[in-house]
Amino acid sequence: MTRPRILQVSTWNTPCGIATYTADLIRALSDQGVECDVEAIDRALVATLARKELRQYFEDMASRAKGYDIVHVQHEFGFFSGSYGMPESIDAFASFLTRLRRYAPKVAVTFHSLPPIPTWHHEALRSALREGFLWFKWRREVVPFFSRPNVLTLAPSQFLRRSLVDSGIPRSLVRVIPQGSQTAMEPESDKGIAKNEVGLDEQTYVAALFGFVTRNKGHHVALEALRHLPDQFHLVIVGGPPPQGRDPAYDSVLEFRRKFQLLRHRIHVTGFLPSDEAAAYLRAADVCLAPYLDVASSAAVMWALASGAPLIASRISAFAELNQKRQAAYLVTPNAPAELADAILKVSRDTDLKKKLVTNALDYCREHSWDQIARAHIDAYSTIGQPPTNP
């Protein structure tokens, strides 16, 4: 049987969670005997392009899909926006899809961020009108492409699937394939040694937050929670600002540390680290935090689940799924620093709870290994163009 020629469209070889996701997927697919080529999105170049040039860049990229059996697009709105915003991102993505129709017999798109959907609860009329405009633009320019049987929409969570269906994509053409997990790490037998290896005192209790520092990840909540915790509790922020982003959250973290001098020695900010150095902090962590305000999926959280340390995360839709089968994370109310601090204290003192969280998290990671996720992708690829099973 001839194996399909597959092209992955994604960021590549750059500090980006989706670039890492794509690399992990391609490596796992290769282990299953399925090889992929990559068409890399150059975000640094894209940021220099004018609106017409932006659309042309992606139209040219779609033309290079000729000859492939399946084109798999890793989508994030920031990839297609250049130096502009959501309207331009939708325009560029729609142009890309229009051109892709000419060259790709089968297409899969994994969405890593939420589509525009009106919430209708904004107090500000301007915000509500903007949401409505983006939703209309999305449904008119993009949704028709995803209503075709040779196009498969993939979502890394049930929450994102629901949002895509609400945005207008037919539910029979949307499939959930969860975020893949790194190899589960057994709990560190000697945390003291691990802490010393990254320059931390072995007597400190280390609460770690991993990934790029952005407003939606709730770093300010973790910082405020630290004010409610005893002196031996330290917060380690392993990450820096997104390379292409304009989010001021990282600056806010540094400003908080400058403002609260008595807490300064308990707040450690590493900046961006390569994965092997970040893994050293994972081994040193007593607890991992994900006090996110909103997110569709998170590679950083999967790293935390695999760390061998318990995870405390916000009770948002994307993370609630971690506990559908078992308690893989301790969930708290978003944007509630006192509750987060209380949860950290509880996990630090309750040995049985900590053991249960770690055991369940490692089981979750084994069930969602990249080998399993690769097999799910191979199965999904085989269904493209077939009649839907759920009308």
Side-chain angles (χ1 to χ4, degrees):
M1 179 178 178
T2 303
R3 293 187 178 128
R5 294 193 67 210
I6 299 175
L7 180 68
Q8 298 281 345
V9 177
S10 174
T11 49
W12 191 247
N13 288 334
T14 186
C16 170
I18 296 173
T20 302
Y21 175 101
T22 305
D24 288 335
L25 174 60
I26 289 175
R27 189 162 41 249
L29 286 170
S30 179
D31 290 343
Q32 301 291 329
V34 177
E35 301 298 329
C36 299
D37 292 331
V38 178
E39 181 65 36
I41 299 172
D42 186 342
R43 293 197 70 186
L45 173 60
V46 165
T48 69
L49 302 179
R51 287 179 172 88
K52 289 184 178 179
E53 294 171 331
L54 185 65
R55 291 194 293 272
Q56 189 63 52
Y57 174 87
F58 285 106
E59 288 176 7
D60 292 344
M61 178 175 288
S63 300
R64 292 192 289 274
K66 185 177 181 179
Y68 288 92
D69 300 301
I70 299 172
V71 176
H72 188 168
V73 182
Q74 305 294 337
H75 177 274
E76 206 280 332
F77 283 98
F79 294 172
F80 291 85
S81 63
S83 293
Y84 301 100
M86 183 69 91
E88 291 80 8
S89 178
I90 294 174
D91 284 339
F93 187 44
S95 294
F96 171 75
L97 296 175
T98 299
R99 181 64 63 89
L100 196 60
R101 290 182 64 173
R102 304 182 191 176
Y103 299 102
K106 296 181 179 180
V107 176
V109 179
T110 297
F111 284 90
H112 296 274
S113 54
L114 295 171
I117 304 172
T119 55
W120 310 120
H121 64 260
H122 286 292
E123 295 180 4
L125 177 61
R126 182 176 179 180
S127 295
L129 290 174
R130 182 177 186 276
E131 277 194 351
F133 164 73
L134 292 174
W135 184 51
F136 174 78
K137 187 176 182 65
W138 171 262
R139 291 181 69 97
R140 185 187 66 183
E141 298 181 18
V142 174
V143 166
F145 180 85
F146 291 93
S147 301
R148 300 161 61 227
N150 66 326
V151 179
L152 179 65
T153 304
L154 299 175
S157 67
Q158 292 289 347
F159 167 56
L160 191 42
R161 176 200 172 275
R162 184 186 75 204
S163 299
L164 290 166
V165 173
D166 284 344
S167 80
I169 297 177
R171 63 187 181 91
S172 61
L173 300 177
V174 183
R175 184 164 178 158
V176 176
I177 299 182
Q179 175 90 32
S181 172
Q182 309 300 320
T183 301
M185 301 166 60
E186 292 303 321
E188 188 66 42
S189 59
D190 194 332
K191 286 286 185 183
I193 294 175
K195 290 172 185 176
N196 287 336
E197 287 178 349
V198 293
L200 298 172
D201 189 284
E202 62 187 50
Q203 299 302 318
T204 62
Y205 187 90
V206 178
L209 209 168
F210 293 85
F212 290 121
V213 180
T214 55
R215 282 172 291 187
N216 69 319
K217 292 183 178 178
H219 290 79
H220 65 285
V221 182
L223 289 166
E224 289 291 340
L226 192 64
R227 300 174 65 186
H228 298 273
L229 293 168
D231 288 346
Q232 72 269 27
F233 286 76
H234 286 223
L235 177 65
V236 180
I237 296 174
V238 185
Q244 304 297 330
R246 292 168 286 184
D247 193 315
Y250 187 73
D251 184 69
S252 298
V253 169
L254 300 180
E255 176 62 21
F256 185 97
R257 192 171 61 170
R258 184 200 64 78
K259 180 178 179 181
F260 295 96
Q261 289 293 321
L262 294 178
L263 290 176
R264 184 181 179 88
H265 70 287
R266 297 170 56 199
I267 302 171
H268 311 268
V269 185
T270 70
F272 173 78
L273 294 177
S275 58
D276 57 336
E277 295 181 37
Y281 283 92
L282 278 171
R283 291 191 294 271
D286 292 293
V287 65
C288 292
L289 306 179
Y292 292 20
L293 306 182
D294 187 23
V295 72
S297 63
S298 172
V301 167
M302 297 307 296
W303 272 77
L305 281 172
S307 70
L311 172 65
I312 300 175
S314 295
R315 193 180 294 106
I316 59 177
S317 296
F319 296 160
E321 294 178 30
L322 298 174
N323 286 5
Q324 285 183 343
K325 293 183 179 179
R326 58 174 61 87
Q327 188 179 3
Y330 191 102
L331 302 182
V332 297
T333 304
N335 209 17
E339 184 180 343
L340 176 60
D342 184 68
I344 294 170
L345 282 173
K346 184 174 182 179
V347 170
S348 72
R349 295 168 178 171
D350 191 330
T351 304
D352 291 338
L353 174 60
K354 175 182 176 180
K355 182 178 179 181
K356 178 182 177 181
L357 289 169
V358 170
T359 299
N360 290 346
L362 296 182
D363 286 345
Y364 181 94
C365 291
R366 294 184 187 102
E367 293 168 0
H368 295 82
S369 69
W370 275 109
D371 284 344
Q372 298 291 337
I373 299 306
R375 293 189 187 100
H377 275 85
I378 293 170
D379 180 61
Y381 292 153
S382 70
T383 68
I384 300 176
Q386 301 298 317
T389 56
N390 51 328

